[in-house]
Amino acid sequence: MVEARSAINLNYRHCDSEPPNKDFPLKIGRNQPCHCGSGKKYKRCHGAHGGQPKPAIRQEQVQRFYEQFLAKEQMRKEQQGLGRPILSAKLNDRQVIIVGDKIFHSTKWKTFPDFLSDYLKDLLTPAWGNAEIAKPLAERHQIMRWYDAYCRYQQISILKPGEVFEFEINGLVACYLGLAYSLYLLHHNVELQARLLKRLLDPGNFQGAYYELMVANTLLRAGFKLTLEDETDGLTKHCEFAAVSQTTGRKFWVEAKMRSVAGLLGRTNADGTSDPNPISHLNTHLNLALAKPADDTRLIFVDLNCDETNNGSGKPSWFEKAVRALERYEARHVDAKAYVIITNLPFHRMLNERVPIAAVPFGLNMPDFNRPGHYRLSVAWKLKQQHIDAYKICQSLERYTNFPSTFDGSLPSETFRRDGSRVVIGETYVFDNDRGGIVGTVTGAVVLEDKREVMITFSAMDGKTYLHHMPISDDALKDYKDHPETYFGRIQPAGRTYKTVYELFEFLMETYTKSSREFLLTEVQKIPELSGFDRMTNDELAAIFCERMAAAMDQRSRRTK
């Protein structure tokens, strides 16, 4: 039974109890409504008669805790990436963070970006920073010019000192906090070599070290394990570092090159170009990268360091020019094989503007990777799985400017604003209404974005299922949009819109690749024109099944429209 109730007077508060039954006497808080339905507080009703024995743990509880753990962990990874989690703890009023083999602590850090700002100052040392500040602004190191602008940006963004505030991620924030976060990730997941810091503080070497850190940041959050090369060995050539995928186990040798432009990132007319052509140095960078010895697959990043404009098709203005240049290079170097990712991360050119991120992945002498053409859905999916590491790298690059705000992966709306509008599936609450209150366990919840409210179903002690609506705050709605599949404490599919039939196909594959072989064989054997199913893998069977299902759904959608 579903009983629709008005949302006007609805509130709820968390309840540690669950509906009691004969097998499981539950502990109820002294000030919570008594489970007998008398309307009295528990301490003035059954709680006044000796209380209850300590409950045993049921399998349902274990399953609920496990589901909540998985949801929380996925939410944390969505914020922090796939590298080592942030190691932090709150001791009294002091936030403690462990980075690599160092311990940092402060009473001032309320958000993770607060820590990042102080972390960068500590790495560069106060002595170096003070020496730079003593110089005229135009003569300071690039990092200290960003620092000066970042402090000014904070001053105009902070409405009330001491409170947590939000500001737009513009180019300045991407440069300053992005550098700090990249150093933190390398320090926390691998090691922070003294030589890298020395290069970073040298204006002539800053650009190269800066871009290498951006690449390392991207790979670490994509779930790669990095191995740094011996930078003190000047006798042999070697790549920047090696990266091993946790997804496939493949090893890549990584090179990172950025076009040097006079007047930007410490470059001068002596070591930077004034040529406006964004691909002016592309061949040179590829030659240098391919000249390094590599026993495994090469992964080459090249940043064009140019202004970002759109050609009207949604692609960067340099897109066609870069792809044609890569195709010509490929035709001349038939033995060269590498994943090449052309990027343009012009944050330093657009300090006061919204941040654009553009990248073009290209498989040098890999004709089955990211090439235009017509493919069956199942074939396109199979090709993607063969190159899944490159796809994950590009997904991580898209999220380069997403910085964690909390230390433990919790929701900002709950951590900073104590927002109480989120319910967790499987938990029990007291839902207040005009008749006093109903104790119920949440069985489902959905956000109705257009109405800015949450629709909740819960099971009450009387055995009935109730339906309630409650408003959702702006902050909580933002958190829901960031984590739609885990927001309610359980991993569950969220409403999606599909721009292409392939996106629909991938969604179906997420479900049906988990199906039993018996089910898949039963379904695909209904296709009369196909045979040889017994020799196919489960993934191949699922791909055929989902391909036909997606096509049918797409045709129905077109007829409806």
Side-chain angles (χ1 to χ4, degrees), residues 167-443:
F167 51 74
E168 184 179 64
I169 304 295
N170 57 16
L172 171 63
V173 177
C175 287
Y176 186 72
L177 279 189
L179 174 62
Y181 192 31
S182 297
L183 286 165
Y184 159 81
L185 287 172
L186 195 62
H187 190 178
H188 190 47
N189 289 271
V190 195
E191 64 174 310
L192 201 53
Q193 295 176 332
R195 191 170 184 274
L196 175 63
L197 287 176
K198 185 177 180 180
R199 288 175 57 211
L200 201 63
L201 299 183
D202 178 2
N205 285 300
F206 170 74
Q207 176 183 288
Y210 174 58
Y211 188 55
E212 286 175 28
L213 282 167
M214 298 174 86
V215 170
N217 175 322
T218 300
L219 293 173
L220 287 168
R221 287 186 296 112
F224 287 76
K225 293 185 177 181
L226 305 188
T227 302
L228 304 183
E229 293 298 302
D230 182 6
E231 295 288 354
T232 62
D233 181 10
L235 300 178
T236 59
K237 292 182 178 180
H238 50 75
C239 295
E240 259 74 68
F241 45 81
V244 178
S245 167
Q246 294 187 48
T247 302
T248 64
R250 293 181 65 187
K251 185 176 182 179
F252 299 85
W253 290 98
V254 184
E255 270 292 300
K257 305 292 183 183
M258 176 185 275
R259 189 172 73 105
S260 298
V261 177
L264 295 175
L265 299 177
R267 296 304 191 188
T268 65
N269 289 324
D271 56 5
T273 182
S274 56
D275 188 343
N277 181 9
I279 64 167
S280 60
H281 288 62
L282 181 56
N283 284 357
T284 301
H285 288 146
L286 290 175
N287 288 336
L288 291 172
L290 290 167
K292 304 284 185 69
D295 296 328
D296 302 280
T297 306
R298 296 178 185 273
L299 176 58
I300 303 172
F301 291 81
V302 179
D303 191 84
L304 302 182
N305 192 4
C306 64
D307 290 324
E308 190 59 53
T309 56
N310 193 296
N311 62 10
S313 66
K315 299 177 181 178
S317 57
W318 48 263
F319 174 83
E320 297 293 345
K321 187 180 293 187
V323 171
R324 286 197 299 270
L326 288 167
E327 289 173 342
R328 290 193 298 269
Y329 189 93
E330 180 181 55
R332 295 192 305 269
H333 301 81
V334 294
D335 295 329
K337 189 173 182 179
Y339 288 101
V340 179
I341 299 181
I342 305 296
T343 68
N344 191 42
L345 309 175
F347 312 145
H348 54 285
R349 291 172 172 264
M350 310 171 69
L351 294 180
N352 299 313
E353 301 176 51
R354 292 181 64 87
V355 178
I357 294 177
V360 176
F362 186 89
L364 200 63
N365 289 302
M366 297 180 188
D368 60 351
F369 173 64
N370 201 30
R371 300 298 174 102
H374 297 279
Y375 301 90
R376 287 185 56 164
L377 297 176
S378 55
V379 173
W381 182 83
K382 185 176 181 179
L383 291 176
K384 181 176 179 179
Q385 304 316 303
Q386 292 176 6
H387 302 281
I388 194 64
D389 291 321
Y391 283 91
K392 289 185 177 295
I393 291 169
C394 291
Q395 289 174 342
S396 178
L397 188 60
E398 280 186 307
R399 298 175 60 83
Y400 178 82
T401 57
N402 290 24
F403 306 111
S405 55
T406 62
F407 295 95
D408 58 358
S410 57
L411 294 174
S413 61
E414 295 181 336
T415 302
F416 304 133
R417 293 170 181 81
R418 307 301 181 190
D419 193 308
S421 61
R422 183 173 76 124
V423 296
V424 174
I425 295 174
E427 293 294 324
T428 302
Y429 302 85
V430 178
F431 292 87
D432 296 332
N433 58 25
D434 52 3
R435 294 192 299 182
I438 304 176
V439 177
T441 300
V442 176
T443 56

Side-chain angles (χ1 to χ4, degrees), residues 61-222:
Q61 280 186 302
V62 175
Q63 181 64 27
R64 184 185 71 197
F65 293 149
Y66 179 62
E67 290 174 347
Q68 291 178 6
F69 168 77
L70 292 179
K72 186 175 181 179
E73 183 64 5
Q74 179 171 313
M75 185 182 292
R76 182 197 65 76
K77 289 180 179 179
E78 289 168 352
Q79 296 179 38
Q80 300 179 13
L82 304 181
R84 292 183 67 193
I86 296 172
L87 300 180
S88 68
K90 195 68 180 285
L91 300 179
N92 298 322
D93 60 345
R94 188 170 295 274
Q95 187 72 48
V96 179
I97 299 181
I98 300 175
V99 184
D101 57 353
K102 295 190 66 176
I103 298 177
F104 299 83
H105 55 87
S106 174
T107 59
K108 299 178 181 179
W109 303 329
K110 294 186 177 181
T111 69
F112 189 68
D114 291 341
F115 157 73
L116 285 179
S117 186
D118 282 356
Y119 170 76
L120 183 56
K121 296 176 191 176
D122 182 83
L123 280 184
L124 305 183
T125 73
W128 180 84
N130 291 333
E132 288 293 317
I133 290 176
K135 302 176 183 177
L137 182 61
E139 298 177 12
R140 295 176 193 171
H141 189 283
Q142 178 65 77
I143 298 175
M144 295 307 294
R145 294 203 298 273
W146 287 342
Y147 170 70
D148 180 83
Y150 183 72
C151 291
R152 297 177 190 277
Y153 186 46
Q154 284 183 312
Q155 289 174 355
I156 63 174
S157 301
I158 298 175
L159 302 179
K160 293 183 179 180
E163 292 188 3
V164 174
F165 63 95
E166 294 182 0
F167 51 74
E168 184 179 64
I169 304 295
N170 57 16
L172 171 63
V173 177
C175 287
Y176 186 72
L177 279 189
L179 174 62
Y181 192 31
S182 297
L183 286 165
Y184 159 81
L185 287 172
L186 195 62
H187 190 178
H188 190 47
N189 289 271
V190 195
E191 64 174 310
L192 201 53
Q193 295 176 332
R195 191 170 184 274
L196 175 63
L197 287 176
K198 185 177 180 180
R199 288 175 57 211
L200 201 63
L201 299 183
D202 178 2
N205 285 300
F206 170 74
Q207 176 183 288
Y210 174 58
Y211 188 55
E212 286 175 28
L213 282 167
M214 298 174 86
V215 170
N217 175 322
T218 300
L219 293 173
L220 287 168
R221 287 186 296 112

Side-chain angles (χ1 to χ4, degrees), residues 481-513:
K481 290 179 178 179
D482 289 339
H483 308 284
E485 295 185 343
T486 57
Y487 181 79
F488 293 111
R490 176 187 294 174
I491 299 175
Q492 56 184 3
R496 301 185 189 179
T497 57
Y498 305 101
K499 297 180 182 179
T500 66
V501 66
Y502 180 75
E503 291 181 359
L504 173 60
F505 169 79
E506 280 203 316
F507 169 72
L508 294 172
M509 285 293 288
E510 290 176 14
T511 300
Y512 287 100
T513 49

